[in-house]
Amino acid sequence: MAKKNTKTKETQDHQGFEKYVRWFWMLFLGGILSVALLFLLASWSVFGELPDYTQLENPKTNLATEIVSSDGKTLGKFYFDDNRTPVKYEDLSKSLIDALIATEDARFHEHSGIDARGTLRAIVYLGSKGGASTVSQQLSRQLFVGVASKNIFERITQKAQEWVITTKLERQYTKEEIITQYFNIYDFGNNGDGIRSASNIYFDKEPSELSIKEAAMLVGMFKNSSLYNPRRNPVGVKNRRNVVLSQMEKYGYITEEVKDSLQKTELDLKYSPQSHRDGTATYFREYLRSWMKDWANDKANRKPDGKKYNINSDGLKVFVTIDSRMQKYAETAVGRHMPRLQAEFFNQNTPERNPTAPFLDLNKSEVEKLLEAGMRRGERWRILKKQGKSNKEIEASFEKPTKMTVFKWVDGKASEVDTIMKPIDSMRYYKSFLRTGMMSMDPQTGHVKAWVGGMNYRHFQYDMVKQGKRQVGSTFKPFVYATAIDQLHMSPCDKLPLSQITIEANKYGNPEPWSPGNDGGDYGGEKTLKEALAKSVNTITARLMDKVGPQPVVDLARRLGITSEIPEVPSIALGTPDISVYEMVGAYSAFANQGVYTKPVMIERIEDKNGTVLYQFTPETRDVLSAESAYVTVKLMEGVTQSGSGARLRRTWMPKKGVYPEIITGYPYAFKNPIAGKTGTTQNQSDGWFMGMVPNLVTGVWVGAEDRAAHFKSVTYGQGAAMALPIWGMYMKSCYEDEALEVSTKAFEKPKDLSIEVDCDKYQEDNPDGDNDTPTEAIPDGLEL
């Protein structure tokens, strides 16, 4: 009886064990089937639409438009949120690839997207010994899955989608392509979208140039770029970088000695922010943005599907004529001269010296009207008006002290200073700053090489190259001389009397008699045309105007590309019209180009992200003057730098008189090559100009305040030779020192059949009756009005 009970118990135990085994296999197989079903459902897009092969080949990522200089450098980008410019695998440094694999996916080249060993380890240790995501999985998550959901069921379905997409990616792309996409897609913070932007921003380098420790830092940021931000958390980033270096040593990419050495170093950032208001050629880039918008809106420039190109996200490449080296030299010249000039301007406009500072020749009531007009034109007025504020409320807001950041020259550098100031006082403060505009151009090709629209785009956004137009003063005189040479066949050696001339009322449409005077009141004797232009003699320019009339001069200016309004009256001879730097440089370029006007060119071509050319510029040229007339005009302007107001360009010493070292930056310039040019100073010293030419480069510089009522008291500091010429001088010195630029030091090309005599010594021998005893040695810097 007892034996029977024993067998029954054994049978029951056996049956119970079989039950557990059966349940185990049911759960195990059920789990496998569930997982299989989960992935099957995911592949059928039950949990959400999966990307098709077209989307896999062309992932939807916003790509910034890249602006590429003529020497192959990135000047800047256009983008909304994503400052991303993709690179190729061969553009990645070996250190970047090694660091990524060692840190993120050591068996990257062994698996097919899913790392089974890593996944099993993550399950067993619940992620405590590292995650299981491969680089391919992380890429699929970045491209198509998105941020992990906090809901457990949604998180599981997201993981299933991620695995399915990962396997598709592995079939679609090579390992190298997957690595490249991963580097290109990641957001490294601080507008560092993608590895190229990140390496530019954090180290001012291309990805191919990154060192081991730089590559390790950027790869370390893959863990969490918000947490490991080198600007906000340098200690944490350094620690994370050192972890990456340890991983690289662990897997044999670097030696232990290299690891130990690099871990002791600092991050050594060279932070170079990329934003629309910072960086190189900011004013030009803003001009280009406007041009690109117009181009994109033109129905002739559509995508194959008929849609407009988005200049902020379609990954266009715009190849421009700006040379990054020349642009840098131009910006440096402006940055060196303007703070020194500004310091002297502030010195002359202290409250004790000028109660209405920075304005001169205005009473208190006139200053108030000027500021009120400025208020109504400003951004603050526009914003408050849009908010429904009354005029009285807006005016009152200008009297309330407000926290603000203002521009200031600090130790000769552009800086920002936090302060508390009334908006009305900040208006007056900004109106006391002198501004500048500068453009440099190759006269043969029309390619614009440098464009500086102001001192600091963040605080002075009005572009004084193309937007701003100011009186050009004596820089207009060469147009009068060129007309006389072209029409009357006059020589630079011809003489005219210095005596005053009056052009009677209504002779050329002038309502009043016009009788300009010479600076210093010198009206005795004669001067050659070359001397007259060099010393900016107003009466001789007036005589030439009387000989040819205003209409032909205006016609010549129009053919030279000047579109600004020029009244057909005699007084234009002294530069009363308002003209832009852009127009003046284009016009002067025709003189250096044997009388052929070439329209300034800024954009060479536009390519889409695949390299297809969408736009190619077509040169616009026209014959304006004969080669002879252009050459003779150039020879006239060479006199300006030989014995006139531009003579200081040639000096190799600091003279005791005539030069003011506190503002003549970079002096002495010591140029020895042929230079043609013209200074210009307008009424009351409101505008200072210098136009300078060598055979393959024409450059114009303007300096002045926003309001003409803000100016230097006298021509001592307020003339073009002091305000604008130093910028040209320093810029050209830098260009000549950079021999790779090949800026010409040769003479201007002489026409084969030159019938007009330009050698005044020979001309005197052939015309012995002429009085040519005027000394031609360097004289104190000339002044012109």
Side-chain angles (χ1 to χ4, degrees), residues 61-91:
T61 54
N62 291 332
L63 303 178
T65 288
E66 183 181 10
I67 306 164
V68 184
S69 70
S70 62
D71 56 321
K73 302 296 183 182
T74 299
L75 292 178
K77 301 176 184 178
F78 298 144
Y79 59 91
F80 280 134
D81 298 317
D82 293 343
N83 177 24
R84 182 175 290 106
T85 304
V87 297
K88 298 178 182 177
Y89 182 80
E90 53 265 30
D91 296 326

Side-chain angles (χ1 to χ4, degrees), residues 724-773:
L725 179 144
I727 294 175
W728 190 93
M730 288 186 291
Y731 167 68
M732 290 299 291
K733 282 178 72 174
S734 297
C735 288
Y736 280 129
E737 288 169 1
D738 190 340
E739 295 181 0
L741 295 176
E742 298 182 342
V743 176
S744 176
T745 57
K746 297 179 180 179
F748 290 88
E749 185 176 350
K750 183 178 180 179
K752 293 180 180 179
D753 301 319
L754 183 64
S755 62
I756 298 176
E757 185 58 64
V758 294
D759 184 345
C760 293
D761 289 335
K762 185 176 183 301
Y763 184 85
Q764 184 180 10
E765 292 174 4
D766 296 339
N767 298 274
D769 296 334
D771 178 14
N772 195 25
D773 294 329

Side-chain angles (χ1 to χ4, degrees), residues 119-177:
T119 301
L120 184 60
R121 181 195 63 214
I123 293 172
V124 172
Y125 293 101
L126 300 178
S128 63
K129 292 192 175 183
S133 288
T134 64
V135 168
S136 303
Q137 285 177 268
Q138 293 178 51
L139 176 61
S140 66
R141 188 184 311 139
Q142 291 269 350
L143 286 174
F144 303 109
V145 179
V147 180
S149 173
K150 294 181 179 180
N151 181 287
I152 186 64
F153 176 75
E154 289 182 356
R155 181 72 189 96
I156 291 172
T157 59
Q158 280 183 328
K159 200 67 178 177
Q161 287 179 304
E162 179 187 302
W163 281 33
V164 171
I165 295 170
T166 298
T167 57
K168 288 187 176 184
L169 285 175
E170 286 278 344
R171 294 193 196 111
Q172 190 78 13
Y173 294 106
T174 65
K175 291 289 187 178
E176 289 77 13
E177 289 172 331

